[in-house]
Amino acid sequence: MARKDIKRQEVIVTGFGGQGIVLAGRILGMAAALGDHRESTLVQSYGPESRGGACCAQVIISDAVIQYPYIEAPDILICMSQSAYEKYRTALKPSGRLLTDKDLVAPGGDRPEVFSIPATRMAEELGRKMMANIIMMGFATAVTGVVSLDAMKTAVTASVPKGTEEMNLAAFVKGFDYGASTLKGREKKKSGTAGRIGAVR
């Protein structure tokens, strides 16, 4: 493979302890490595508190061997708390994609394109607030395409507690469908704009 063809994506998943941030990062890396047969690394960090403090998972996915596992400028930034957004927002590449929990993060106006989902609210509606991270992973899969749908489904099933596989898979699909719907809505909006320009001519 020519060097220029090597695809590499750097992803930061961040929020606070207790949201399943590290598990989300582990699922993403596992899906890339075992399902999509690519290289991946995971580096996790916690704040001073084990629960409620800052939490971060850095995942690199690449077609080539990864020499250095730490991320300085992510291609994809997934924020599930306002403090996480404030801490990492300036690190995101200008062309990078920002994904947020709609009810927990209020992004500033400095980024033209933000993908948001009310993941925590949707998880509460499902009766399991702890599944917000799984919903977010479904949303990220649809919006970014950084890993395949089948690989993520397999990784989710293998990573969650026994007896909760179906429930978590349903949460994942709910997030994925929301992401697919979001993309479709944006495509329609773009098409509508193009049509109006054509009519003026």
Side-chain angles (χ1 to χ4, degrees):
M1 178 182 295
R3 183 75 186 168
K4 65 180 180 182
D5 293 330
I6 293 173
K7 294 176 183 171
R8 178 186 170 104
Q9 290 281 288
E10 299 185 349
V11 185
I12 288 181
V13 186
T14 184
F16 49 80
Q19 287 182 307
I21 297 297
V22 171
L23 176 61
R26 189 179 306 140
I27 289 171
L28 197 59
M30 181 188 295
L34 301 182
D36 291 342
H37 307 292
R38 305 178 71 194
E39 300 288 329
S40 72
T41 61
L42 168 67
V43 175
Q44 61 195 53
S45 61
Y46 299 93
E49 306 90 355
S50 61
R51 195 172 180 86
C55 185
C56 176
Q58 299 186 17
V59 182
I60 299 177
I61 299 169
S62 175
D63 292 336
V65 173
I66 300 164
Q67 304 286 355
Y68 183 73
Y70 294 95
I71 297 173
E72 292 183 357
D75 301 282
I76 300 165
L77 176 60
I78 302 171
C79 294
M80 295 189 68
S81 76
Q82 186 67 31
S83 59
Y85 167 74
E86 298 297 342
K87 183 174 182 179
Y88 290 101
R89 66 185 179 87
T90 57
L92 183 63
K93 290 178 181 174
S95 60
R97 280 164 285 184
L98 173 64
L99 281 63
T100 68
D101 187 310
K102 197 174 198 171
D103 296 335
L104 302 182
V105 181
D110 54 344
R111 295 205 68 85
E113 194 166 51
V114 181
F115 295 90
S116 297
I117 178 173
T120 301
R121 190 190 339 152
M122 290 167 72
E124 287 172 345
E125 288 169 359
L126 289 173
R128 294 289 181 106
K129 188 177 179 180
M130 293 301 294
M131 292 192 306
N133 61 338
I134 302 298
I135 292 174
M136 181 59 87
M137 286 298 98
F139 182 65
T141 303
V143 168
T144 69
V146 67
V147 284
S148 70
L149 174 59
D150 287 343
M152 281 296 281
K153 281 183 171 179
T154 302
V156 167
T157 303
S159 302
V160 297
K162 295 292 178 195
T164 67
E165 293 93 337
E166 283 190 21
M167 192 183 303
N168 276 283
L169 207 51
F172 175 84
V173 170
K174 198 172 180 69
F176 184 89
D177 289 346
Y178 192 97
S181 176
T182 298
L183 289 180
K184 192 179 285 185
R186 291 190 181 201
E187 284 300 317
K188 278 186 181 177
K189 193 174 179 181
K190 282 183 182 176
S191 299
T193 303
R196 284 198 296 275
I197 291 172
V200 171
R201 289 181 181 172

